[in-house]
Every structure is written in structure tokens, then in C-alpha cells.
Amino acid sequence: MVFKSFFSGLLFFFSISPGFAVEIVSAGQTEDEKRRDTVRYGTETEIAALIQTLKDEKSELMDKNLEAELVKISQTTRNQNILTGLLGFFAEREAPGLEERALRAIAERDDEAHSTVLAALDYVGKVHALAAVAPLEDLLDANEERYMNPAFKALGRAVKGSKESDPVAEYLIDFYSNRNPPEKSMWEIIAALGETGSKAGLPLLCEIAENPDERAVVRIAAVEALAKIGDEAGLAAILGALSSADPNLRSAAVGSLGPFSGPQAEEAILESFRDSYFRTRLGAAKAAGERKLNGAVPYLRFRAEYDEVPTVKEASIKALGAIWDGESKTVLEKLFSDRKTSDRTRILAAEMLIQNDPGGYTDRVIEEMDDAQKRNQKALYNGFLKDVCAGKTGKLEGLVRRFLSSGGVVEKSYALDMILTNEFKSFAAEIRLLADEKNSGIARKAKAVLEKLGLPQS
């Protein structure tokens, strides 16, 4: 009786206790609701941890209400760490919504933390905020060296491909030519000229790229900027840089040939495969892939098989995938099928095959994936699994079914990726079951997939 009375009294206490009522509500919350509450009521540490979790998830799918709460707190918070984290997160996703707050941070930079202003500069550039042009130019006109380089970069990015690109290019040219900028800012101004995409920058960039007395790092910036603009008027300056004694300039020049057409550019790319400096060969592979240069396939095959530098091998395989003609396909098939080839090479070759012809190669890669699992070759299995799951083909339905019925957490996560990529709406019932999984990551992902496919949650 005593125990019964005590228990009754305890229940009464809990029923009137505000703290306990909150706990009851919290226990029934969804993961997205908990996250929204963290943004509304959490500490700096808790919100920072949430932002890091969102970054780690690397998902394009985010609860719209949560995103709205993040935008809202950016407007009101006085916590510099929270604001800096939010600007960095939204910049990484190139997501709009924080432009007003970022511009305020730039304009009122003396009252903001240094890290917050830097994050704001990065953000306005990555979201191409045209409204940032005047504030950025005001900042640069003030000659505040601590912010000049990121401001130049942001200015070039902000106007890329817009009607403001020519006026901003003229501003940058004037700054470079007439305002005696700090030496460490010259590279950034040149790079920003390339980011604008404006042809107005071509004369200055060509002059710098062709000047043998200019520092190599500045000439490198100029040839890379010419490549970003991609106008034929810049080709001669890039070709000239290929004869430089500086290996870094040579590699930058060949890597900048991708956007240009014509026999001169093609011959320069092929010749660069013979360069003893690995970065030049790397640039040649990237340029050959970018321009889908069929004549480079024999060079790429040789580099993919025998180059002593792994990054050159990988770039050559990717270039073969970009070219994708009969000869390059044969080379990729051989690299993938030969079990004596390194795991990394086989995985990358499989990625190129599925990327170009998922219907034709998915079954073969799944067979090799299963064989790798039987042989306990975990790295090879995981690599082939990632390749397969990126494909878009109805042939993946069987694998999805297998993963949903008997796979672990990783396999179920990949199954959801395949369902979303291929819009396999016939798995709606199975997705809803995953939405109730104890694993919060899987449950959240399943709900997001339902939303993205336009399927009811229940």
C-alpha cells in the first residue's frame, strides 16, 4: 500500500511538472523536429554540432522548415560562432537565403568577428550575389589588406556570366594597373578577372602570360584565367607558356588548353604527355578529357597502365571515360576486367563504364562486386558498390530488393540512393518501413526520399 501511494503521488507530480511534460513531448518528436528545436533553443555548442552533422551528411535534401529556422537565426543571433558556421554551411551548399546578413557583415565589418567577415565574403561569391558588387568595391577602395584577397575573389565570382561582368572586369584592370596593389594581391586580381568571364580582361591577361620577366606564379594565374574566359584570343599566350623552363607554368598552360579547339592546341596536348614533370602530364590528361580528344587515347592508355604517379593514372582513366569512343571503351573494359590490375584502377574504370553505359555494364560490375565480397576484398567491394549505386538503370531493381531485405545499414542507405536516382516508386512500402527504423540516419534519409519522390509518408 505504501508503494502504491508513493507511485500514485509520483504520477501526480509528473503530471503537473512542466519539465517532465517537455520530456514527454520531446520523446515523441521526429528527428527534424528535434533539429529545429536545437536551432531555436540550443547553445552555441549544440548548434555548431548540428551544423557539422548537416555538413557531414552532404545531402541536398534538407527539411525546409529546418532551413527556414537556420535563415531566421542568422538574422537575429549575436553569436559570431553560430553566424560564421551558418555562412560556411550555406556557402558550401551554394544556397541562397543569407545574402542580406552577409552584406551587413561586410558593411559593418568593424563590429564583426574577422572569421565572420571572411565567411560572408566567401558566401556572397559562391551564391553569385550581384547586390554585393558595390559593398565589395567599397571594401577594396578602403585598402583594408586583411580583406582584400577574399574580396577580389568574391567580386569575380559574384558577377560571373552576368551583365555586371564587364564593368567589374574594368574595375579590376584599373586596380591592377593604376592603384599599385600589394604584391600578394596581384594573383587574386588576375584570378578574379578570369572568374568574371569577361573578354575585357583578355589584353591584360595575355600581356602577363607572355611576359618572360614576370614571376611564374603570376603568369600561371594569367593562363588559368584565360582558360576560364575560353576565348580564342587567349590561345597564343597559353601556347607560348608551354615553352617555359618553369615546369609549373608548363603544366598550368597545358591544363588550360581544354576549352580551345584547333590543331595547334591538340598537338600541344599530345606533346605534353611526354613531359618528365608529372603535373604537365596530369594537365595533358585533363585537357584531353575536357575536349574529348580522340587522338589522345593511345597516350591515355599508356599513362593509365604505366605512369608512375597515381594521380596521372587516375586522370587518364577519367579522360578515357570523357572521350568514350570505341577505342577508349575497349581500354576501360580491359582495365576493369583484369583482376591483376590495382583495386583503385579497377574501381575507377568501372565508374567510367557505368557512368557512360549503366545498362550495359551494371550486371558485370555487380558480379565483380559480389566476387570481391566473397573474397573478403572490402575496399574493392565498397568501391564497386559505390560505382553501381551511381548508375541510372532499371537493372538495379534486383539489387535494391536484395539490399532492402538482407543488407546492413550501409547497403540500405545505398538502396535508398538507387531508389531516388532511378525513381523506383514501386518500393514505397519498403521506404516507409525504413522511415521507422531505429537508426536515425536511415529513417531521416527514407523520409527525405519519400518527400523527393512525392510519395505520402504513411
Side-chain angles (χ1 to χ4, degrees):
M1 290 295 292
V2 173
F3 177 78
K4 185 175 181 181
S5 298
F6 172 78
F7 187 69
S8 299
L10 194 62
L11 284 176
F12 175 75
F13 171 75
F14 283 161
S15 69
I16 63 172
S17 170
F20 184 75
V22 168
E23 288 300 314
I24 290 294
V25 172
S26 298
Q29 283 183 314
T30 66
E31 183 68 23
D32 286 330
E33 288 170 340
K34 290 177 183 176
R35 289 179 170 196
R36 291 198 293 273
D37 275 357
T38 298
V39 176
R40 291 171 183 145
Y41 315 119
T43 65
E44 168 191 336
T45 303
E46 290 163 344
I47 294 173
L50 172 60
I51 292 171
Q52 187 58 53
T53 298
L54 293 170
K55 284 183 178 181
D56 292 342
E57 289 176 355
K58 296 180 179 178
S59 173
E60 296 180 4
L61 298 170
M62 187 167 74
D63 178 66
K64 296 298 181 184
N65 293 322
L66 174 60
E67 187 169 14
E69 289 293 339
L70 291 171
V71 171
K72 184 178 178 181
I73 195 176
S74 76
Q75 301 296 332
T76 58
T77 184
R78 296 184 179 181
N79 188 300
Q80 296 292 329
N81 291 332
I82 292 175
L83 180 57
T84 302
L86 286 170
L87 287 166
F89 174 56
F90 274 67
E92 188 176 287
R93 298 173 67 239
E94 297 184 11
L98 304 189
E99 292 90 339
E100 181 184 342
R101 186 62 184 91
L103 291 175
R104 191 176 358 136
I106 294 169
E108 301 172 3
R109 53 191 175 276
D110 290 340
D111 299 322
E112 301 277 4
H114 181 66
S115 59
T116 302
V117 179
L118 292 178
L121 291 169
D122 184 53
Y123 175 77
V124 296
K126 286 184 175 176
V127 299
H128 309 297
L130 290 178
V133 170
L136 289 171
E137 290 183 352
D138 287 344
L139 186 156
L140 290 166
D141 291 341
N143 288 315
E144 294 186 54
E145 287 197 24
R146 58 180 177 160
Y147 295 129
M148 287 181 78
N149 286 354
F152 283 127
K153 181 183 293 185
L155 184 59
R157 286 176 171 176
V159 300
K160 187 172 185 177
S162 75
K163 62 183 180 180
E164 297 294 327
S165 61
D166 287 346
V168 165
E170 295 291 352
Y171 173 87
L172 291 168
I173 292 167
D174 176 71
F175 209 113
Y176 186 92
S177 304
N178 301 318
R179 301 203 201 178
N180 193 28
E183 190 172 293
K184 63 183 180 180
S185 293
M186 290 182 174
W187 186 93
E188 289 290 357
I189 296 173
I190 294 167
L193 265 176
E195 289 288 354
T196 67
S198 170
K199 294 180 182 180
L202 288 171
L204 175 62
L205 293 173
C206 288
E207 179 185 339
I208 295 168
E210 293 171 339
N211 185 357
D213 298 324
E214 184 60 83
R215 289 174 301 143
V217 65
V218 178
R219 293 181 71 188
I220 288 170
V223 298
E224 291 176 345
L226 287 169
K228 286 184 178 178
I229 296 172
D231 190 272
E232 291 293 325
L235 177 58
I238 296 174
L239 290 173
L242 285 169
S243 60
S244 171
D246 188 288
N248 291 303
L249 179 55
R250 293 200 308 274
S251 66
V254 70
S256 299
L257 288 173
F260 299 95
S261 58
Q264 278 188 305
E266 292 182 2
E267 288 170 13
I269 291 170
L270 297 181
E271 187 60 30
S272 296
F273 280 107
R274 303 179 186 277
D275 199 301
S276 59
Y277 185 53
F278 82 95
R279 291 192 186 278
T280 305
R281 301 195 303 277
L282 182 64
K286 291 179 177 178
E290 186 175 344
R291 63 188 295 115
K292 302 184 187 302
L293 182 55
N294 303 80
V297 171
Y299 295 86
L300 293 167
R301 176 195 60 76
F302 188 87
R303 290 295 139 208
E305 292 180 349
Y306 302 115
D307 203 285
E308 61 187 13
V309 180
T311 53
V312 176
K313 283 188 172 186
E314 292 179 11
S316 298
I317 294 169
K318 290 179 180 179
L320 288 166
I323 294 169
W324 195 249
D325 62 2
E327 189 178 358
S328 63
K329 182 166 66 172
T330 299
V331 175
L332 290 169
E333 287 176 346
K334 180 179 179 294
L335 293 172
F336 162 67
S337 301
D338 188 354
R339 292 183 178 178
K340 295 179 182 179
T341 304
S342 71
D343 287 358
R344 179 60 189 153
T345 295
R346 294 188 70 199
I347 290 166
L348 192 52
E351 180 185 336
M352 295 300 103
L353 292 170
I354 286 182
Q355 180 177 290
N356 284 285
D357 187 5
Y361 291 98
T362 291
D363 288 343
R364 288 177 58 183
V365 178
I366 290 175
E367 288 175 10
E368 291 297 320
M369 179 186 78
D370 290 340
D371 181 79
Q373 188 176 40
K374 290 175 185 176
R375 295 169 183 265
N376 200 31
Q377 297 172 303
K378 293 182 180 179
L380 190 59
Y381 170 77
N382 289 330
F384 284 153
L385 175 58
K386 186 176 180 181
D387 290 343
V388 167
C389 291
K392 191 167 185 178
T393 171
K395 291 189 174 183
L396 287 171
E397 283 196 68
L399 186 63
V400 170
R401 192 168 291 107
R402 190 214 305 181
F403 280 178
L404 291 177
S405 63
S406 59
V409 171
V410 172
E411 284 78 11
K412 286 177 179 176
S413 179
Y414 274 122
L416 288 170
D417 290 336
M418 289 185 279
I419 289 169
L420 182 59
T421 299
N422 294 279
E423 298 185 3
F424 290 151
K425 295 185 179 182
S426 60
F427 289 101
E430 290 88 342
I431 305 172
R432 292 190 190 100
L433 287 175
L434 290 180
D436 291 329
E437 276 270 333
K438 291 182 179 179
N439 184 294
S440 60
I442 290 291
R444 186 166 55 251
K445 190 170 186 176
K447 291 172 185 175
V449 170
L450 287 170
E451 180 182 345
K452 191 74 174 181
L453 293 179
L455 296 170
Q457 297 281 334
S458 58

